[in-house]
Each structure stands twice: as C-alpha cells, then as structure tokens.
C-alpha cells in the first residue's frame, strides 16, 4: 500500500501561475505514482480570510482543480479534496484542539497572514477589528488536522507551508502522550524550486507572474517585458530544462526572449485548451471526497474512543 | 392491563410522529441543498477565467523568512528577500 501524501493549497486566487506550478504542482505531478496523493484545496480558509470574495470562491476553486488536472494530475490515482466538504475535519479540529494551548495558537496567529495585518488592512478585507475565534484557530490547525486525520506520512508544497510541520509535531507530541490514538509526524517533501521569481525579479504572485492558462499573445508580451534574463535561467532549471538554461548565456536578449516565449507557449498548451466542464470537475471532487471522508471517519472513531464517547 | 396498552399505544404513536417529523425535515434540507447547489454552478459551463486583483490598498510586506509563519502567499503580500531594510511599512 502506498504511503499517504498531503499537498495543501489555497484556492483564493483562482487560476494558477508559474510560481504555483514550479514551486509545488510540477513536483507533485512528478511523484504522484509513488504516493497516494491528496491535494487539499482549503476553500474554508479562503472563505474565513476573505469575506469580501466569498461569491467568487467556488468558481476559483474549480479553476484550481482544472489547472491541476491539466498539469497532469491523474484523478484516478490522486485525490482533490475541498476542506469545506469534510464535516469530519471540524470534529477533528475540536478534539485535537483540546491538546493545543490557546496561547500557542494565538502566537501562531500573530505571525500568520491575518495576524500580521494592520487594522486598515483588515478593513479592506472586511475582517472584524478583533480576530474571531475561527480566525485564530482554523488557519493555524485546519491543515495540520486534515493532514493528521488522513494519516499522511508526507507533506508536500512550497516553503510557505513549512510552518505547519512544527505545528503538526507539537500536536502529535501533545496528543499521543495522553491518548491511545497515535499520529505520525509527516515528513516535508520539498519542491525543487520553492522560491520562484516573477517577471520583475520579486517573489512571483499573479501580478508579476504568468498564468498557466494565459493566451499566446499574453505569454509573448510578458516574456518580452522581462528585464532580468537570469529569471529565465531559474525557470528553465525548475522545468528541468538544463540544456536551455546553459544555452541562454550564448543567446542575444531578443533570441533568449523568443526562445523562452516559444517554450512556454508550447509547454502551457494543455492549460489553454482545457475542455473540462464544471460538471467534470465536480465529479472528480465528489469521488475524491468519499475516500477522504472514510479515512477521516476512521481517525474520528479512534479519537472518540480516546474521549470516552460513543461510536454509532 | 388496559392502562398499559394505552401507554404502549401512546408511545408507539409518539415514536411514529417523531420519525415522520424527522423524515420531513431531512427531505426539506435535501431539497434545499439540491436547489442551492444547482443555482451555484452550471455543470455544462467551464470555470470562468478571472484575473484576481489585490484587495489591500497597501499590501502586506514581509520577508522570505516570514513565509513559514504566514502560511500563504497571494496578491496581497509582497515578499522581499531577507533584507528588512527594504520593508517600508511602519510598525503600528
């Protein structure tokens, strides 16, 4: 039986860009046959952190599912699950929460995205002046709880998720010393390129990046606007195109840009020509959710016994 | 004996009533969920492409070493290499 690997993602920005792809998605696709992979799209986190964007979360989440499939994730082997569809997760959070110190959670919150926001930034997002209980608790232990609940042994993604590793270790130590249920501490599976530079040389986000589903014209235009060609070298390396990376040094600026644009236009073709409908994507989510729910229920049952509660 | 029978009847009727209420309730919830699910998503359409804009008027500025604590990166965050002097945002 293959070991379980969890790869968490935030769907709030919808269409994925090269930073998402090279920083995490590509590596996951490359290793999907070695593990039983669960891609966790944390739409609950998106809803809690961005109340202003709630009407857009479903469409953006489906777009992310589409990008994963077009990137090569095999839905027959790997699972794509939304946190909002896992009622067992919220029981887990409640039970696991009993071994997480509130002050520890508050400290984690203070260095998290929401905790770092100034009052005027919270207002921009429609977040209340004071953080809610959900805001303090869920973003810190939601992903750790689903990972432990799925009995994952591996945890994969970009460097922004590495903080969860120590949270999971803290939970496992706290819970296992007091209870019969024993959790495994998941090992972090790093990406080959966890820090991907955008077209302006800064950390890639949508604004300075290139969307996987961008049309040919946009790809060529954005590549032509790049000022620092060393970024192409980083991208080629992340794509595993060592030869192109070395060749780059011998090319003129114009030729290097044309070469990179041609490469991207060709490589990203499956994203532009997607034929998947919402129905197809919902079916993929539905079948994935069943197996995730089974695993989480198994964990919940064991924990209910720890708590002296009935399992019907 | 007659009193026992009446009590039994009462209990049976009460349980029947409870069950029918339960059934009616779950039916209502199911119908509502189905309705809202349909209105939320058109299964025949493809997901709509959207270029997401930053929501913050002044973006959150962090350094790369703060990423594991932040747990996420998106349009509202600017990530600088580990050089604090580049962060212009004042401490509150």
């Amino acid at each position: 039986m293959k070991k379980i690997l969890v790869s968490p993602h935030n769907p709030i920005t919808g269409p994925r860009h090269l930073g998402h792809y090279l920083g995490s998605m590509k590596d996951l696709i490359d290793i999907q046959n070695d593990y039983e992979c669960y891609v966790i799209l944390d739409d609950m986190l998106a809803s809690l952190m961005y109340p202003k964007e709630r009407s857009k979360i479903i469409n953006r989440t489906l777009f992310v599912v589409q990008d994963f499939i077009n990137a090569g994730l095999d839905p027959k082997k790997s699972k794509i699950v939304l946190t909002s569809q896992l009622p067992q997760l919220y029981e887990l959070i409640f039970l696991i929460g009993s071994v997480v110190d509130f002050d520890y959670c508050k400290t984690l919150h203070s260095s998290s995205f929401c905790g770092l926001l100034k009052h005027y930034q919270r207002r921009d997002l429609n977040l209340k002046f004071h953080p809610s209980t959900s805001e303090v608790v869920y973003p810190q232990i939601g992903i750790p709880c689903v990972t432990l609940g799925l009995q994952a042994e591996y945890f994969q993604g970009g460097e922004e998720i590495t903080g969860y590793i120590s949270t999971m270790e803290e939970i496992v130590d706290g819970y296992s010393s007091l209870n019969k249920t024993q959790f495994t501490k998941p090992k972090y599976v790093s990406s080959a390129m966890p820090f991907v530079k955008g077209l302006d040389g800064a950390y890639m986000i949508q604004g300075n990046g290139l969307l996987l589903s961008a049309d040919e014209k946009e790809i060529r235009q954005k590549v032509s606007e790049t000022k620092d060609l060393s970024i192409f070298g980083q991208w080629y390396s992340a794509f595993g195109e060592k030869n192109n990376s070395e060749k780059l040094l011998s090319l003129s600026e114009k030729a290097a840009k044309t070469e990179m644009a041609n490469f991207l236009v060709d490589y990203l073709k499956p994203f532009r020509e997607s034929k998947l409908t919402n129905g197809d994507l919902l079916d993929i989510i539905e079948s994935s959710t069943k197996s995730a729910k089974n695993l989480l229920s198994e964990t919940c049952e064991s924990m209910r016994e720890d708590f002296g509660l009935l399992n019907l | 004996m007659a009193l026992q029978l009446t009590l039994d009847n009462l209990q049976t009727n009460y349980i029947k009533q409870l069950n029918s209420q339960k059934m009616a309730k779950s039916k209502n919830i199911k119908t509502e969920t189905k309705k809202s699910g349909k209105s939320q998503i058109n299964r025949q359409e493809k997901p709509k492409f959207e270029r997401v804009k930053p929501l913050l008027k002044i973006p959150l500025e962090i350094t790369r070493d703060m990423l594991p604590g932040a747990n996420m990166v998106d349009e509202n965050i600017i990530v600088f290499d580990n050089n604090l002097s580049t962060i212009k945002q004042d401490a509150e």
Side-chain angles (χ1 to χ4, degrees), chain A residues 216-229:
Chain A
E216 197 177 324
K217 193 179 159 195
E218 186 179 327
I219 295 174
R220 293 194 185 282
Q221 192 192 327
K222 285 215 164 182
V223 168
S224 72
E225 285 167 7
T226 314
K227 288 189 179 108
D228 179 4
L229 294 189

Side-chain angles (χ1 to χ4, degrees), chain B residues 17-74:
Chain B
Q17 205 183 330
L18 268 181
N19 281 342
S20 66
Q21 276 176 0
K22 226 177 173 181
M23 288 279 281
K25 210 176 173 188
S26 66
K27 222 175 179 181
N28 280 345
I29 292 168
K30 268 186 188 164
T31 323
E32 277 168 21
T33 315
K34 228 175 180 180
K35 264 186 194 168
S36 58
K38 270 185 185 171
S39 64
Q40 278 174 308
I41 314 157
N42 182 335
R43 287 183 67 92
Q44 313 308 321
E45 281 180 7
K46 288 181 185 177
K48 287 182 186 72
F49 176 80
E50 190 192 352
R51 217 173 285 275
V52 178
K53 286 176 191 147
L55 282 176
L56 296 180
K57 288 180 198 109
I58 303 169
L60 181 68
E61 295 181 337
I62 63 171
T63 47
R64 195 176 157 189
D65 61 343
M66 292 163 83
L67 271 174
N71 294 337
M72 57 167 278
V73 200
D74 70 11

Side-chain angles (χ1 to χ4, degrees), chain A residues 108-118 122 131 135:
Chain A
L108 292 178
H109 171 264
S110 65
S111 59
S112 72
F113 170 71
C114 285
L116 290 168
L117 294 172
K118 306 283 185 290
R122 293 183 66 84
E135 183 194 309

Side-chain angles (χ1 to χ4, degrees), chain A residues 19-227:
Chain A
H20 293 121
Y21 181 74
L22 297 175
S24 169
M25 292 165 78
K26 184 182 177 296
D27 291 76
L28 180 70
I29 311 299
D30 291 346
I31 58 171
Q32 66 174 325
N33 292 326
D34 304 333
Y35 302 93
E36 191 181 340
C37 298
Y38 280 87
V39 174
I40 307 292
L41 302 185
D42 202 350
D43 56 339
M44 181 57 84
L45 179 79
S47 173
L48 286 175
M49 286 167 55
Y50 293 99
K52 244 185 188 171
E53 303 283 88
R54 281 181 182 157
S55 62
K56 296 164 184 164
I57 291 172
I58 295 174
N59 178 63
R60 289 181 189 172
T61 304
L62 290 175
F63 212 102
V64 177
V65 178
Q66 174 185 262
D67 277 347
F68 264 101
I69 303 298
N70 291 333
L73 192 85
D74 183 349
K76 285 180 190 138
K77 291 179 189 161
S78 302
K79 319 275 189 295
I80 304 185
V81 183
L82 315 186
T83 50
S84 66
Q85 301 307 305
L86 304 169
Q88 295 86 347
L89 168 61
Y90 304 96
E91 183 178 351
L92 272 175
I93 291 174
F94 192 76
L95 296 178
I96 286 179
S98 70
V99 297
V100 180
D101 291 340
F102 187 64
D103 283 343
Y104 172 70
C105 221
K106 265 171 53 182
T107 308
L108 292 178
H109 171 264
S110 65
S111 59
S112 72
F113 170 71
C114 285
L116 290 168
L117 294 172
K118 306 283 185 290
H119 66 88
Y120 48 86
Q121 291 169 319
R122 293 183 66 84
R123 226 182 138 85
D124 287 346
L125 301 182
N126 265 7
L127 286 170
K128 290 196 305 176
F129 186 87
H130 292 295
S132 67
T133 310
S134 309
E135 183 194 309
V136 175
V137 176
Y138 185 82
Q140 323 329 317
I141 69 167
I143 287 296
C145 284
V146 74
T147 307
L148 297 174
L150 288 171
Q151 301 153 34
E153 291 184 52
Y154 296 92
F155 192 67
Q156 188 268 350
E159 62 185 332
E160 71 278 8
I161 62 154
T162 52
Y164 286 131
I165 290 286
S166 67
T167 309
M168 286 191 274
E169 287 172 351
E170 193 75 20
I171 291 173
V172 173
D173 288 339
Y175 195 89
S176 301
S177 60
L178 297 170
N179 297 288
K180 239 180 166 180
T181 305
Q182 298 296 305
F183 291 108
T184 312
K185 291 178 186 173
K187 290 186 187 94
Y188 177 57
V189 180
S190 169
S191 299
M193 193 65 68
F195 187 90
V196 182
K197 286 184 178 179
L199 294 157
D200 58 0
Y203 196 99
M204 191 186 284
I205 51 173
Q206 213 182 85
N208 66 353
L210 194 62
L211 290 169
L212 300 173
S213 45
D215 61 33
E216 197 177 324
K217 193 179 159 195
E218 186 179 327
I219 295 174
R220 293 194 185 282
Q221 192 192 327
K222 285 215 164 182
V223 168
S224 72
E225 285 167 7
T226 314
K227 288 189 179 108

